[in-house]
Amino acid sequence: MNYRHIYHAGNIGDVLKHIVLANILKYLQKKDGAYRVLDTHAGVGLYDLTSEEAQKTGEWQQGVGKVLENLGDAPGPVKEVLAPWLETVETLNPGGGVKFYPGSPEIACMLARKQDRLTLTELHPEDFEELKNNYGGDKKVKVIALDAWLALGSFLPPKERRGVVLIDPAFEVEDEFARVADGVIRGWKRWPTGTFAIWYPVKNFSAVRQLIATLDEAGIRNTVKIELSAGKVSKDAPMKASGMMVINPPWTLTKDMNTALPWLCKTLTQGINPSWNVEQVIPE
Ligand SMILES: C[S@@+](CC[C@H](N)C(=O)[O-])C[C@H]1O[C@@H](n2cnc3c(N)ncnc32)[C@H](O)[C@@H]1O
């Protein structure tokens, strides 16, 4: 396991993923009943963008950095969709700018109400220790050094019977899409009414098509694909295009992403033909 998310924190992929996650959580809060967040690939939770690692790639400057720089130009409805995520960034950086960037555990933790619960799993030994230091003392949070694919078999369905599973692999290994499909199907069979949000890089369109076909064949319904590409750039450049596959999304998510993505796409453009797309890929 070589992947460390500190090199990529706050990049264009994180921006998309975290806006979607924060909106799902805000939707769950429309009811008083407690919910559970299972974050299967948690990372460390909180990132210092002035660290040597984050500065080395500077990926955040093309992601959260650009969003904050251009926020003044965003139309009101776009700001409303970004608000649940931005709230967490702004809370960490009360003086403005962005030194600290919230990973998915921090977003889930900050937005959680007193009745909500989080289960975070992380396999990298050093990242797990940091994650445990960050959240181990919080009674709402369970931090576990466990393989994500086992977590999907062990912790579902949650006793709250409401909530979201975030699946955010590092995509370091060749067959990651197949592992994702297998893990999601096992998790969904245990909890068919849960919301599953899966992040993936868009490098290979056939891998994404295959993932959708496999989920569909397994009987999964009601799935939305949300993609954002900053434009076509050279092969070895950092990741520029990614997507979220959301099973059982809040009914508001499609409309909200259709509102925010045109502005995000324009703001985060880097190469030729930037694009965005929101599509119901498996019907209800
Ligand atoms: C993309 S990062 C996660 C970022 C985090 N979800 C966020 O949004 O802030 C992927 C993480 O998954 C961890 N990881 C990789 N394979 C794993 C596995 N099989 N089980 C649990 N964690 C794993 C990596 O160590 C890395 O910290």
Side-chain angles (χ1 to χ4, degrees), residues 1 3-5 14 17-18 21 39-47 101-107 121-124 127 146-149 166-172 176 179 199:
M1 291 180 71
Y3 182 93
R4 311 301 295 275
H5 197 62
D14 264 8
K17 174 199 317 172
H18 294 152
L21 174 66
D39 189 344
T40 60
H41 298 73
V44 303
L46 185 59
Y47 299 92
Y101 184 75
S104 49
E106 183 70 19
I107 292 171
T121 56
E122 168 58 49
L123 212 48
H124 192 291
D127 283 0
L146 181 69
D147 185 283
W149 313 118
L166 176 67
I167 300 171
D168 183 19
F171 285 87
E172 280 183 308
E176 199 79 293
R179 286 212 290 181
W199 181 88

Side-chain angles (χ1 to χ4, degrees), residues 198-212:
I198 305 140
W199 181 88
Y200 57 91
V202 180
K203 290 184 184 153
N204 175 343
F205 292 108
S206 70
V208 179
R209 272 197 301 271
Q210 183 60 52
L211 174 62
I212 296 166

Side-chain angles (χ1 to χ4, degrees), residues 119-175:
T119 302
L120 313 174
T121 56
E122 168 58 49
L123 212 48
H124 192 291
E126 286 168 43
D127 283 0
F128 169 72
E129 282 308 318
E130 201 173 331
L131 185 73
K132 201 169 76 178
N133 285 339
N134 285 338
Y135 306 100
D138 188 328
K139 281 193 186 136
K140 294 195 292 295
V141 187
K142 268 194 205 151
V143 185
I144 304 160
L146 181 69
D147 185 283
W149 313 118
L150 293 178
L152 287 164
S154 312
F155 301 129
L156 298 180
K159 73 172 187 305
E160 295 78 11
R161 301 277 165 168
R162 307 179 64 227
V164 57
V165 181
L166 176 67
I167 300 171
D168 183 19
F171 285 87
E172 280 183 308
V173 290
E174 194 121 313
D175 64 345

